[in-house]
Amino acid sequence: MYHCLDTSQFDRRLLEEISELADAARFISKSKEGADWLSGLLSHKRAMLYFVQPSTRTYLSFLSACQILGMQTADVRDTSTSSEVKGETELDTVRTFSSYYDAIIMRHYKANFAREIADMLDKTNRPVPVINGGAGKDQHPTQALLDIYTLRKSFEQRGGIDHKKIAFVGDLMRGRTARSLSRLLTRFENVKQYFVAPDFLQIDSGVLSVLDRLGISYELVDDIHKVLPEVDAVYLTRLQDEWDDQDKTAGHYFIENYALTMENVGLLRQHAVIMHPLPRRQEISYEVDSDPRAVYWRQVRNGMWARVALLAKIFGVEQEIKQV
Ligand code: CP
């Protein structure tokens, strides 16, 4: 692993290694001595956080992950303060970062932009790793990584992720978290996927053709109530209406068919888990937060440790963590 650009880079072995590494780093950090040791591992490295599309969790969890490993950071979150306003191209801006920093962690509204940057830097005399913290409507590989880590922990006592049934609910046409996790779930045995969305926001042929090619079982569904009694995990997502102008779609759907409330949460099986990449709007009622099956705040915490593991792997210090 050098760049982390999309989900195609993660096979099952790597997903398991990153989950185990996250657990190991987490355990080490529990003592002051361990936390101090972790913060010396990458204290000679610096990262640029280039987040020009809004983010709370991905930005802060990468920042925290860098701090845990001792990396110094800087960020650009608003291009109005960069020389892009003077006409500098984004490519030149990011190439400038590579002169000062040892990794570029980025979020961008353009699909494939992280790959474009990685390809450009690979041709220079100072290539640095590029990590995609979400790009366009289709790829959010590190969110999928933390979601796999969360599912793995949730099903630890129930045979792991294999043979489970997982429903994605909401704006699946433009929700890069659900689309990325759907791809990573194909690395596990006999996982059935349900896509629950109104027609105009349903998952598209780009994802379904991958599932068809791999012989993965799936169903398209139009009402959350039909899947709640069936599934081991329900993964809710919000309406991604920041893309509306571009897509010319109507930015509304009937929330009651695609939300988890105190009225319908009782339909879920006792051991099912409730996930959401956050931010949420009305997809999950606040009262559901205290349900023991709700793991979305654990996802937030797990994201930091999954990103610690990813950075450790990219900078080649994973063996040191494993050997503690
Ligand atoms: N899940 C996620 O990507 O959250 P942010 O947009 O806040 O980073």
Side-chain angles (χ1 to χ4, degrees), residues 51 54-59 107 133 140 143 176-177 277-279 307:
F51 274 62
S55 167
T56 300
R57 279 145 289 272
T58 312
Y59 170 80
R107 167 167 292 191
H140 196 344
Q143 175 73 39
R176 58 192 173 202
T177 59
L278 304 179
R307 287 165 175 135

Side-chain angles (χ1 to χ4, degrees), residues 205-220:
S205 59
V207 174
L208 295 183
S209 61
V210 173
L211 301 185
D212 286 334
R213 183 165 45 79
L214 297 171
I216 305 290
S217 175
Y218 66 83
E219 274 183 42
L220 304 186

Side-chain angles (χ1 to χ4, degrees), residues 68-278:
I68 286 168
L69 291 166
M71 295 176 75
Q72 294 178 60
T73 60
D75 64 36
V76 171
R77 303 196 69 183
D78 175 3
T79 54
S80 70
T81 62
S82 111
S83 281
E84 284 179 37
V85 293
K86 296 181 240 169
E88 183 169 52
T89 64
E90 290 171 315
L91 285 178
D92 280 356
T93 298
V94 181
R95 184 166 177 170
T96 304
F97 302 153
S98 75
S99 300
Y100 307 133
Y101 296 95
D102 303 298
I104 296 168
I105 304 168
M106 55 182 292
R107 167 167 292 191
H108 206 278
Y109 59 91
K110 271 196 234 164
N112 294 322
F113 191 59
R115 182 168 293 284
E116 203 182 320
I117 293 296
D119 289 347
M120 180 270 290
L121 291 178
D122 283 347
K123 294 186 194 113
T124 71
N125 57 8
R126 196 178 141 71
V128 297
V130 175
I131 301 174
N132 180 359
K137 298 172 216 166
D138 196 46
Q139 282 287 343
H140 196 344
T142 67
Q143 175 73 39
L145 211 53
L146 79 87
D147 290 336
I148 290 290
Y149 180 46
T150 303
L151 284 166
R152 199 170 177 271
K153 291 177 92 60
S154 300
F155 299 144
E156 216 160 24
Q157 309 302 323
R158 294 181 53 223
I161 298 175
D162 294 329
H163 309 293
K164 296 296 185 290
K165 294 178 178 176
I166 298 182
F168 295 100
V169 184
D171 187 343
L172 307 181
M173 184 176 75
R174 310 174 291 186
R176 58 192 173 202
T177 59
R179 300 164 65 83
S180 296
L181 179 56
S182 168
R183 291 190 177 94
L184 286 195
L185 286 172
T186 67
R187 314 297 196 261
F188 295 83
E189 292 292 318
N190 189 33
V191 173
K192 179 165 180 179
Q193 302 187 26
Y194 298 82
F195 299 105
V196 187
D199 278 351
F200 67 100
L201 296 175
Q202 189 48 281
I203 199 94
D204 59 74
S205 59
V207 174
L208 295 183
S209 61
V210 173
L211 301 185
D212 286 334
R213 183 165 45 79
L214 297 171
I216 305 290
S217 175
Y218 66 83
E219 274 183 42
L220 304 186
V221 184
D222 61 4
D223 186 340
I224 192 172
H225 301 91
K226 296 179 183 165
V227 299
L228 289 178
E230 299 287 322
V231 298
D232 299 287
V234 58
Y235 189 102
L236 293 115
T237 63
R238 70 176 170 86
L239 186 66
Q240 311 278 317
D241 49 7
E242 62 268 40
W243 303 105
D244 272 1
D245 287 347
Q246 192 181 334
D247 290 344
K248 300 186 174 34
T249 54
H252 301 285
Y253 59 86
F254 296 113
I255 197 81
E256 61 264 30
N257 289 342
Y258 307 98
L260 201 62
T261 61
M262 289 309 276
E263 283 70 51
N264 64 16
V265 72
L267 294 172
L268 263 182
R269 295 159 78 188
Q270 193 188 346
H271 296 295
V273 293
I274 304 164
M275 301 178 72
H276 195 306
L278 304 179

